[in-house]
Amino acid sequence: MSQLTAPPTPAEPAEAESVLVADPRARARARRQKTLVRVLQLTVFVVFVGGWELLSQLKVLDPFFFGQPSRIAVQMWDWMKTGTEAGSIWVQVGVTMEEALLGFAIGVVAGIVCGIALGRIPMLSKVFGPYIKIMNSIPRIVLGSIFIVWLGLGLSSKVALAIVLVFFAVFFNAYQGTREVDRNLIANARILGASGRQVTTQVVLPSALTWIIASLHVSFAFARIGAIVGEFHGAQKALGLLIRKAQDTFNPNAVFAAMVIIAIVALVAEGLIALLERALLSWRPPQLSGTEL
């Protein structure tokens, strides 16, 4: 009885207090590390852009070929103030984003559906597997030309190329994620009376969700690439058209200005996808959620 009612040892309050102190210290250390990362990122940016500007001023880098950051900024300001030859810069950005978002949405849905279907049904995988590999091996630049011939210079040809690029990125991840699902989970679900559709929607899809979400970061980049490559082949408005015209007139500053705009759009999209990832995968341990790059 004396052992059961023994008073707590003196070390127990000290351990509890150390846990309470450690948490604020850990948060403070995390804040310092985050601040350090931001400072280093800003330093890298300043060194890179400043070095580029300095080397251009000193003619070490020929501005005719390599452009110049100050002139790139002037070009972007001119586009925002007076517009481009094809109209407002915001219209060009809007057209490219519309193409990319449509291609991204359709490609993601098609890739998930086909990936899970072929992953769940071996016969479909055996029949369509070779054809998917053949289609994936076709150079995208060739597909861009074909879509221009088939669908014209409008929105459809760019969306079609974006769909193709996104589809394969999502498909292979969804397919592999489906194949990697723990077979014991599927067996247990069937023992408990789950139907095939319930197994797919409540076991397979949640298990493969990590693979699918991981592919979205790359897929949206592919959607932008597909839209811009299609615009290179032919377009009336869009960022790809601005880049092609700048290339034809040997204007590297305009090319880089369009690239900066695309990079800004990419950063915003990455942030939104990261928020979606945290929302859908909130059940994972904190150290595994989100992306570091």
Side-chain angles (χ1 to χ4, degrees):
M1 181 67 66
S2 61
Q3 292 180 351
L4 295 176
T5 58
T9 62
E12 288 179 351
E15 291 177 359
E17 183 179 354
S18 65
V19 172
L20 294 175
V21 173
D23 189 39
R25 288 178 179 175
R27 288 198 296 266
R29 186 163 51 250
R31 286 195 297 268
R32 287 196 299 270
Q33 184 178 12
K34 185 176 181 180
T35 302
L36 177 62
V37 169
R38 294 290 183 261
V39 170
L40 291 176
Q41 288 175 338
L42 181 61
T43 301
V44 170
F45 176 80
V46 170
V47 170
F48 177 77
V49 176
W52 183 3
E53 178 71 24
L54 178 62
L55 293 175
S56 299
Q57 294 281 358
L58 298 176
K59 305 302 181 183
V60 176
L61 294 178
D62 191 343
F64 181 81
F65 295 105
F66 294 95
Q68 193 170 345
S70 57
R71 295 181 182 178
I72 294 171
V74 169
Q75 179 68 76
M76 293 179 63
W77 174 252
D78 182 60
W79 280 347
M80 288 186 288
K81 186 178 179 181
T82 62
T84 68
E85 295 179 1
S88 169
I89 183 62
W90 308 116
V91 173
Q92 317 309 314
V93 174
V95 170
T96 298
M97 288 305 301
E98 181 183 8
E99 297 164 352
L101 288 172
L102 284 173
F104 177 73
I106 298 173
V108 165
V109 173
I112 292 174
V113 172
C114 295
I116 292 177
L118 269 67
R120 292 278 291 140
I121 306 173
M123 181 57 70
L124 287 180
S125 178
K126 293 177 182 178
V127 172
F128 291 101
Y131 295 104
I132 290 177
K133 292 178 182 178
I134 291 173
M135 292 173 61
N136 189 41
S137 66
I138 298 175
R140 303 303 186 255
I141 192 74
V142 175
L143 288 177
S145 301
I146 292 175
F147 289 147
I148 288 291
V149 173
W150 287 352
L151 304 174
L153 298 177
L155 180 75
S156 302
S157 57
K158 286 74 173 177
V159 173
L161 186 56
I163 290 173
V164 171
L165 269 69
V166 171
F167 171 82
F168 288 108
V170 176
F171 168 81
F172 287 114
N173 271 42
Y175 176 80
Q176 190 62 34
T178 302
R179 299 294 295 249
E180 293 290 334
V181 175
D182 190 345
R183 299 302 166 188
N184 291 328
L185 291 177
I186 296 177
N188 291 337
R190 287 175 175 167
I191 290 173
L192 293 174
S195 64
R197 185 175 66 178
Q198 289 174 324
V199 170
T200 300
T201 57
Q202 299 181 23
V203 177
V204 174
L205 183 57
S207 299
L209 196 58
T210 303
W211 291 74
I212 295 170
I213 292 294
S215 70
L216 297 185
H217 294 278
V218 200
S219 300
F220 191 75
F222 283 156
R224 295 193 310 274
I225 292 171
I228 292 172
V229 168
E231 292 161 3
F232 258 86
H233 283 82
Q236 298 174 338
K237 294 179 180 180
L239 290 175
L241 177 64
L242 295 183
I243 296 175
R244 185 167 60 85
K245 286 186 175 181
Q247 171 188 302
D248 293 341
T249 57
F250 297 97
N251 185 0
N253 295 307
V255 174
F256 283 118
M259 291 172 61
V260 170
I261 294 172
I262 294 170
I264 294 172
V265 171
L267 288 176
V268 174
E270 279 295 313
L272 295 176
I273 293 175
L275 292 176
L276 175 65
E277 179 180 12
R278 283 194 289 270
L280 294 178
L281 302 178
S282 58
W283 50 269
R284 294 190 307 175
Q287 66 270 21
L288 295 180
S289 63
T291 56
E292 296 297 333
L293 293 177

